[in-house]
Amino acid sequence: MDWYQTLFELIDMRSFSNLWFWIVLAVVWSTASHWVLGVPYDMVLRARRHAGQAEVDLEDMVRINVNRLLYIGRVSGLWLLGFGCFFLTLLVLMGFVYGMEFAQAVFLLGFPLSLIGLLSLSTARLIQVEEAAGDLLHKRLMRHRLYTQIIGMISIFVTALWGMYQNMTIGALGG
């Protein structure tokens, strides 16, 4: 019985008071801002600084990822949108109507990431339509990263406020 108690103390379903949730939140947003359309941001910086083969590599990698994203969007975009909306609605109902803290935490992670997904599709479409290369490609990727970071900062702020509210409310009620 002691083993189960120890395990459930380590993996607490009260997400906002759990250190693991905050670690996951930080890792998710640092990863989301590092990978711009599936391309590591250091590759964009290297291409800007050194051009040549680094630029060719960047353009090839962006072309591959843009084509992949747009293909997925064309083939199964409506299904993914439908399932995504269903899943987010389910999380809102379970989390905010029925008060399940774990669902609230997953929603506060998932909703902003779904916005990043839509932003990625929009940026990929722009890159393909403009046939972006060189400085224009760098500009698009850097703007995408900036918007991702802005969404991430807002998301972390809202999540922190909601988490503090939850912790104070549950703490005041006695757990």
Side-chain angles (χ1 to χ4, degrees):
M1 195 66 162
D2 188 53
W3 184 80
Y4 285 115
Q5 186 177 3
T6 305
L7 181 67
F8 281 111
E9 285 176 7
L10 181 64
I11 305 172
D12 186 10
M13 292 304 272
R14 286 202 45 240
S15 302
F16 299 113
S17 63
N18 192 336
L19 178 64
W20 291 109
F21 171 74
W22 298 105
I23 291 171
V24 166
L25 184 73
V27 168
V28 162
W29 284 111
S30 71
T31 302
S33 67
H34 178 70
W35 291 89
V36 183
L37 293 180
V39 177
Y41 189 68
D42 60 289
M43 193 172 186
V44 177
L45 293 177
R46 193 174 325 115
R48 276 188 81 187
R49 288 185 193 129
H50 304 296
Q53 186 61 43
E55 182 72 33
V56 172
D57 291 345
L58 174 69
E59 289 175 2
D60 288 343
M61 198 158 177
V62 169
R63 180 184 46 78
I64 290 167
N65 286 329
V66 161
N67 289 339
R68 188 182 119 263
L69 275 173
L70 294 176
Y71 175 77
I72 290 169
R74 279 190 297 273
V75 171
S76 55
L78 286 177
W79 282 100
L80 289 173
L81 181 66
F83 283 126
C85 289
F86 170 77
F87 185 67
L88 289 173
T89 302
L90 186 69
L91 288 173
V92 165
L93 290 174
M94 286 175 22
F96 299 100
V97 175
Y98 294 111
M100 185 184 289
E101 191 174 314
F102 184 72
Q104 293 171 3
V106 173
F107 176 78
L108 290 171
L109 276 170
F111 178 69
L113 288 175
S114 67
L115 296 178
I116 300 299
L118 294 174
L119 178 66
S120 295
L121 278 173
S122 174
T123 303
R125 187 190 58 77
L126 271 175
I127 288 172
Q128 190 178 58
V129 166
E130 295 173 344
E131 297 179 2
D135 287 335
L136 181 59
L137 180 62
H138 301 160
K139 178 182 163 190
R140 289 281 172 232
L141 294 174
M142 291 174 73
R143 184 173 293 156
H144 178 80
R145 182 172 192 244
L146 176 67
Y147 292 159
T148 299
Q149 289 175 331
I150 290 169
I151 292 170
M153 286 188 302
I154 293 169
S155 171
I156 290 170
F157 180 73
V158 168
T159 302
L161 284 179
W162 184 255
M164 285 186 284
Y165 171 74
Q166 286 293 99
N167 287 336
M168 288 189 302
T169 302
I170 290 172
L173 296 175

